[in-house]
Amino acid sequence: MKKRVALIFGTRPEAVKMAPVYLALKESPIEPFVIATAQHREMLDQVLDLFGIKPDFDLDIMQQRQSLSDLTSRLIHRLDEVYFENSFDATLVQGDTTSTFAGALVSFYHKVPVGHVEAGLRTDNIYDPFPEEINRRLNGVLSTYHYPPTEQAKRNLIREGLPPERLVVTGNTVIDALLWTIDNKASLTTSFRKRLGLESERYILMTMHRRENWGEPMRNVMLAIKDILRECPDIQIVFPVHLNPAVRDVVYTELGDHDRVILTDPLEYLPFVSLMEKAFLILTDSGGIQEEAPSLGKPTLVLRKTTERPEALEAGTARLVGTDRKKVLENTMELFTNSDSYSKMATARNPFGDGKASERIVEHLLKVL
Ligand code: UD1
Ligand code: UDP
């Protein structure tokens, strides 16, 4: 009989990073089942559509302005029902979201072993990123199999006492997703950029959504954006804005009426990748985008105080600039004016993977199940 593996995920980045694992399992002797929590709704569906994934279970959890405690308790309750009514040989979760933590916990309660994709990322600061740093650590404890993307992530897990024989360094599955998307995309998309109103050859692509940046830090970055636009009269900024009202309130208030800022709803993955490909520079507090950008040769300024991705800093593909107005302005201007600095960042090697992470995860599961 085929082994049955449940993949639990619910937000946009988890869907991007689990899609290639699902597609690889589909090609294997294992039978995958997608349990979409729909912690995100529209932003999840965009990814499911692109990769042609139809969830076997859709918990439709999302509520507007959901709190962490309420989200967690509803997730546990609904996932528990699925695990009572169905049997699985293993569960896969990805990263550090609330869906991931609740999924690992419920799977553990049902004595179904958990495999943690993108294991071992750490900032060692429990409030940054909040609550993700704790979700990752809890997943480390709850999981039986660990798939750290890099040697550094593996070292973090060994430091915490996890047995090396249960750790498999795979690379990050986001690179698999990115390469799949680049391979499968139709002709790209000057017309899409035109429709968006992008006329400048030099534009900055930016995103910002993390909880610890809500309010003042985000406002400071928006002020820095206005400074940058003042200093560089020929550039445009394109900013797909997360659907979280806590983010939209600040971004639209600060940048809503600037004629060289294009604010959009979250973009589907394919057009988003095409915008990354042609951008001059990326400003973001996103984890996934930091991992993807170096494969497209795009320098990234990370709008955060801490990072769980030191590999990017060591490789020189990203700089950690935080949310200080002056620092964001200075680093951006330096990349606009110093072509040596720019090309060093643009040509550095991507340390996050080679596009074969999903293959390695499936191989490992075939061995252990
Ligand atoms: C979550 C993850 C974060 C990840 C981010 C990716 C947790 C604790 N955080 O944060 O690690 O980086 O997703 O984007 O799991 N909303 C919509 N439609 C959508 C998605 C969100 O309207 O498709 C709005 C809703 O009002 C929702 C709110 O955004 O309540 C917040 O969503 P939530 O998943 O709780 O938090 P994120 O900040 O997205
Ligand atoms: N992304 C997307 N459309 C957008 C913005 C981002 O498809 O408008 C993709 C991006 O390429 C990456 C993922 O979403 O694969 C990152 O998600 P997000 O920044 O929400 O979460 P994080 O990675 O920070 O957890």
Side-chain angles (χ1 to χ4, degrees):
M1 231 185 42
K2 278 190 163 188
K3 296 290 181 187
R4 295 159 58 90
V5 171
L7 289 76
I8 301 177
F9 55 87
T11 66
R12 169 174 67 192
E14 293 164 83
V16 170
K17 291 171 170 180
M18 285 293 241
V21 180
Y22 174 78
L23 296 177
L25 283 168
K26 272 279 205 204
E27 298 289 311
S28 81
I30 292 172
E31 193 173 5
F33 294 83
V34 168
I35 306 175
T37 67
Q39 175 181 333
H40 285 173
R41 185 71 274 171
E42 304 89 325
M43 289 163 60
L44 172 73
D45 293 343
Q46 284 180 334
V47 183
L48 294 175
D49 287 350
L50 174 68
F51 288 93
I53 297 173
K54 289 204 173 42
D56 300 279
F57 306 88
D58 189 329
L59 310 185
D60 202 21
I61 284 283
M62 194 194 88
Q63 292 181 357
Q64 286 304 327
R65 295 184 189 262
Q66 55 206 0
S67 76
L68 290 173
S69 305
D70 177 50
L71 174 63
T72 307
S73 62
R74 284 185 294 112
L75 280 167
I76 289 174
H77 182 69
R78 295 295 310 284
L79 284 165
D80 200 42
E81 288 170 359
V82 177
Y83 275 70
F84 261 119
E85 285 162 15
N86 299 273
S87 69
F88 302 110
D89 298 294
T91 300
L92 288 178
V93 296
Q94 195 285 332
D96 51 22
T97 69
T98 302
S99 289
T100 303
F101 161 58
L105 182 64
V106 170
S107 184
F108 165 71
Y109 285 158
H110 289 263
K111 299 206 172 142
V112 177
V114 178
H116 185 203
V117 178
E118 198 186 79
L121 276 60
R122 297 289 184 273
T123 61
D124 295 325
N125 177 339
I126 62 167
Y127 293 111
D128 203 328
F130 173 81
E132 290 83 1
E133 176 73 4
I134 282 295
N135 287 345
R136 305 169 177 145
R137 293 197 211 175
L138 294 169
N139 277 346
V141 178
L142 291 166
S143 299
T144 302
Y145 313 119
H146 308 262
Y147 304 114
T150 63
E151 291 294 336
Q152 173 64 51
K154 178 179 173 181
R155 281 195 291 278
N156 292 340
L157 294 171
I158 288 175
R159 190 186 68 191
E160 289 172 15
L162 290 177
E165 66 276 11
R166 289 204 265 117
L167 315 181
V168 184
V169 176
T170 58
N172 200 305
T173 58
V174 81
I175 307 299
D176 310 16
L178 182 70
L179 298 182
W180 183 95
T181 303
I182 291 172
D183 279 353
N184 286 273
K185 72 192 171 192
S187 68
L188 261 194
T189 52
T190 318
S191 60
F192 165 71
R193 287 192 292 278
K194 277 224 173 84
R195 243 181 298 133
L196 215 52
L198 265 175
E199 282 143 14
S200 172
E201 287 297 307
R202 297 211 302 173
Y203 64 87
I204 296 175
L205 176 61
M206 88 169 274
T207 76
M208 204 170 179
H209 72 277
R210 307 220 78 85
R211 262 184 180 69
E212 59 278 9
N213 278 338
W214 291 358
E216 213 42 42
M218 204 171 275
R219 215 164 278 119
N220 287 336
V221 172
M222 301 304 123
L223 292 174
I225 294 298
K226 290 186 207 176
D227 296 339
I228 294 165
L229 287 160
R230 220 171 291 121
E231 296 281 329
C232 308
D234 62 325
I235 68 153
Q236 284 180 289
I237 309 259
V238 56
F239 187 168
V241 188
H242 194 292
L243 291 179
N244 196 328
V247 173
R248 296 176 84 78
D249 290 351
V250 174
V251 174
Y252 276 87
T253 305
E254 295 296 331
L255 296 178
D257 55 8
H258 199 293
D259 60 358
R260 280 185 288 131
V261 179
I262 300 167
L263 301 180
T264 72
D265 280 348
L267 294 169
E268 287 173 21
Y269 188 54
L270 194 97
F272 187 77
V273 169
S274 86
L275 278 186
M276 281 199 281
E277 275 186 313
K278 297 287 177 200
F280 180 77
L281 177 66
I282 298 177
L283 265 57
T284 191
D285 65 1
S286 161
I289 294 171
Q290 278 178 70
E291 294 156 343
E292 293 161 339
S295 288
L296 303 169
K298 298 301 158 181
T300 305
L301 298 183
V302 181
L303 305 165
R304 293 181 47 187
K305 285 202 228 61
T306 61
T307 184
E308 59 289 275
R309 294 172 173 84
E311 299 90 345
L313 309 185
E314 280 153 26
T317 62
R319 284 187 201 168
L320 195 64
V321 297
T323 56
D324 177 73
R325 176 175 177 179
K326 207 161 150 242
K327 214 166 161 198
V328 174
L329 172 66
E330 281 170 1
N331 276 276
T332 305
M333 291 313 298
E334 206 245 332
L335 290 172
F336 271 112
T337 51
N338 184 335
S339 56
D340 283 350
S341 289
Y342 183 91
S343 72
K344 253 191 215 139
M345 287 184 84
T347 54
R349 191 187 63 85
N350 188 335
F352 292 110
D354 60 2
K356 295 196 173 132
S358 310
E359 225 173 88
R360 293 185 185 108
I361 291 167
V362 174
E363 254 170 45
H364 178 257
L365 286 173
L366 284 170
K367 230 185 285 161
V368 292
L369 290 184

